[in-house]
């Protein structure tokens, strides 16, 4: 029986769901939402905070500040509350209400940026606010998930080895691309293994991470409005872009079978299933990563009025395709 004294001491790392009964393709989904932060970002938060502590950047007087669309903000709220730090999360209107309320319940301050920058969108506006804040008061410490190598190192040290232990013969891994911390950590790890493992990045249509045109994105978690500084495409074998309508259909299809996952999981599963349909998957072991669970998305992805207002009546058409359909080959091709 586990007995813990700090919230980040618990994280279920070895739970997988075989999605074959639901989608007809064998895909093992690594569930990262079973910890006190509710997402894979707990790993990133621990690595960044403890790295800053070792480097002497964080002191008892420090105020941690970070730009986040949700999950990292909650994870840092958990760590800050546990360690006695003050934390300010800078987010934007796409952050789910439940996520904002959770951060505030944990004692954090949340600042919502209402206006986008002409270049860089909401993310650009969030980053500009954080920089101005840090310039105004040296107590603010920006951990910068977008540039901090601790972001990818967390997954190089934990997530990828966990997959390798559970599936020594894994052939392909599907990883969502946001800041690309999870993607880069896992890709670097598998790149160094003697046995080849194909790394497929899953991104949202409208994200510019891999050079695609910018577009509207309403589901937080994946995609960027600026190129991720951590991204090194030489480690990525393929990229698949997924329309948000397919993200929604996939999430709701999973929910109809009792699995309530978040938006990024719907995107990753949709893209992975599309890839598997286009390839010979006999004797292929495929693993994907589910970054969080779905409770924080009840008023968005799982709310009919919200969906139809943004995506139209057809978004809930169960006969519509639920797999990603915009593949990109070889880390440098265009969509």
């Amino acid at each position: 029986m586990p007995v813990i004294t700090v919230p980040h001491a618990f994280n279920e790392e070895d739970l997988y769901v075989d999605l074959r009964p639901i989608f007809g393709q064998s895909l093992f989904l690594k569930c990262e939402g079973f910890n006190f932060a509710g997402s894979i970002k707990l790993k990133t938060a621990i690595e960044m905070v403890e790295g800053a502590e070792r480097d002497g950047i964080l002191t008892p007087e420090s105020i941690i500040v970070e730009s986040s669309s949700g999950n990292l903000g909650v994870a840092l709220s958990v760590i800050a509350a546990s360690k006695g730090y003050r934390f300010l999360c800078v987010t934007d209107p796409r952050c789910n209400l439940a996520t904002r309320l959770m951060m505030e319940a944990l004692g954090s301050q949340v600042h919502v940026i209402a206006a986008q920058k002409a270049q860089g969108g909401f993310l650009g506006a969030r980053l500009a606010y954080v920089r101005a804040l840090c310039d105004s008061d040296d107590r603010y410490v920006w951990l910068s998930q977008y540039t901090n190598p601790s972001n990818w190192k967390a997954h190089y040290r934990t997530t990828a080895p966990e997959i390798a232990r559970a599936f020594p013969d894994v052939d392909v891994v599907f990883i969502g691309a946001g800041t690309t911390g999870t993607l880069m950590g896992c890709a670097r790890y598998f790149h160094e293994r003697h046995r080849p493992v194909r790394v497929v990045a899953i991104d949202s249509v409208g994200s510019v991470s891999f050079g695609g045109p910018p577009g509207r994105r309403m589901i937080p978690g994946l995609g960027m409005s600026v190129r991720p500084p951590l991204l090194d495409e030489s480690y990525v074998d393929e990229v698949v872009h997924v329309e948000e309508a397919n993200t929604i259909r996939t999430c709701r299809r999973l929910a109809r079978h009792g699995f309530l996952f978040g938006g990024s999981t719907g995107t990753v599963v949709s893209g992975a299933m599309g890839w598997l349909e286009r390839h010979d998957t006999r004797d292929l072991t495929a693993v994907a990563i589910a970054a969080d669970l779905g409770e924080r998305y009840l008023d968005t992805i799982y709310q009919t009025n919200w969906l139809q207002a943004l995506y139209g009546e057809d978004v809930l058409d169960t006969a519509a395709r639920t797999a990603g359909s915009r593949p990109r080959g070889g880390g440098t091709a265009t969509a």
Side-chain angles (χ1 to χ4, degrees):
M1 177 182 69
V3 177
I4 64 173
T5 57
V6 291
H8 47 284
F10 170 76
N11 186 30
E12 173 56 63
E13 62 187 34
D14 290 319
L15 178 64
Y16 295 80
V17 178
D18 184 357
L19 297 181
R20 182 187 289 277
I22 301 175
F23 293 96
Q25 296 278 358
S26 181
L27 177 66
F28 297 103
L29 188 63
K30 188 180 195 303
C31 300
E32 289 279 353
F34 293 99
N35 56 55
F36 283 95
S39 81
I40 196 171
K41 290 293 188 176
L42 182 63
K43 295 174 174 178
T44 302
I46 293 169
E47 195 82 16
M48 292 199 305
V49 169
E50 293 186 347
E53 289 175 334
R54 287 192 301 270
D55 294 341
I57 297 171
L58 281 175
T59 69
E61 292 75 33
S62 297
I63 305 171
I64 299 171
V65 60
E66 186 57 86
S67 161
S68 170
S69 61
N71 282 339
L72 182 67
V74 173
L76 284 171
S77 295
V78 169
I79 302 300
S82 174
K83 289 177 171 284
Y85 293 113
R86 292 169 62 188
F87 171 54
L88 167 62
C89 180
V90 180
T91 188
D92 62 60
R94 294 171 301 178
C95 179
N96 299 321
L97 176 61
T99 300
R100 297 203 301 268
L101 294 175
M102 192 175 302
M103 288 189 278
E104 291 170 349
L106 289 163
S108 299
Q109 182 183 353
V110 181
H111 180 83
V112 180
I113 297 292
Q116 304 184 52
K117 288 183 73 70
Q119 298 294 325
F122 279 121
L123 177 57
R126 279 160 37 188
L127 297 183
Y129 183 87
V130 171
R131 292 188 186 100
L133 202 63
C134 292
D135 289 342
S136 70
D137 190 331
D138 59 11
R139 290 178 301 167
Y140 286 103
V141 175
W142 182 18
L143 298 176
S144 187
Q145 63 167 323
Y146 309 102
T147 60
N148 193 330
S150 291
N151 188 345
W152 68 260
K153 289 178 180 178
H155 304 287
Y156 180 92
R157 189 174 59 82
T158 61
T159 309
E162 290 160 10
I163 293 172
R165 284 195 300 269
F167 298 95
D169 297 326
V170 62
D171 297 296
V172 57
V173 291
F174 300 96
I175 307 169
T179 65
T180 68
T182 306
L183 174 63
M184 286 293 96
C186 292
R188 280 185 166 92
Y189 178 87
F190 287 116
H191 184 78
E192 294 174 4
R193 298 185 76 200
H194 295 299
R195 186 177 181 278
V197 176
R198 194 161 192 81
V199 175
V200 180
I202 309 295
D203 199 8
S204 300
V205 170
S207 167
V208 305
S209 296
F210 296 92
R216 185 189 73 166
R217 292 179 294 108
M218 299 303 298
I219 300 173
L222 295 185
M224 294 274 281
S225 54
V226 298
R227 181 177 171 82
L230 296 177
L231 177 61
D232 183 344
E233 291 192 60
S234 67
Y235 290 98
V236 179
D237 296 298
E238 294 183 56
V239 181
V240 175
H241 285 89
V242 176
E243 298 275 1
E244 285 191 335
N246 285 331
T247 292
I248 292 159
R249 294 179 185 119
T250 302
C251 283
R252 293 172 75 97
R253 184 169 174 178
L254 286 163
R256 294 298 182 267
H257 289 80
F259 296 107
L260 195 71
F261 285 109
S264 64
T265 299
T267 304
V268 170
V269 170
S270 177
M273 288 301 167
W275 189 95
L276 293 169
E277 288 175 6
R278 294 188 295 271
H279 292 77
D280 182 0
T281 59
R282 289 173 296 181
D283 302 320
L284 190 73
T285 300
V287 176
I289 297 175
D292 62 5
L293 301 178
E295 293 93 335
R296 298 173 192 175
Y297 303 84
L298 293 177
D299 59 346
T300 54
I301 291 173
Y302 298 102
Q303 215 288 322
T304 300
N305 291 339
W306 184 88
L307 293 176
Q308 292 179 338
L310 287 173
Y311 302 98
E313 297 290 332
D314 292 341
V315 71
L316 299 181
D317 181 3
T318 56
R321 179 178 175 81
T322 58
S325 58
R326 294 194 181 186
R328 265 191 35 178
T332 59
T334 55

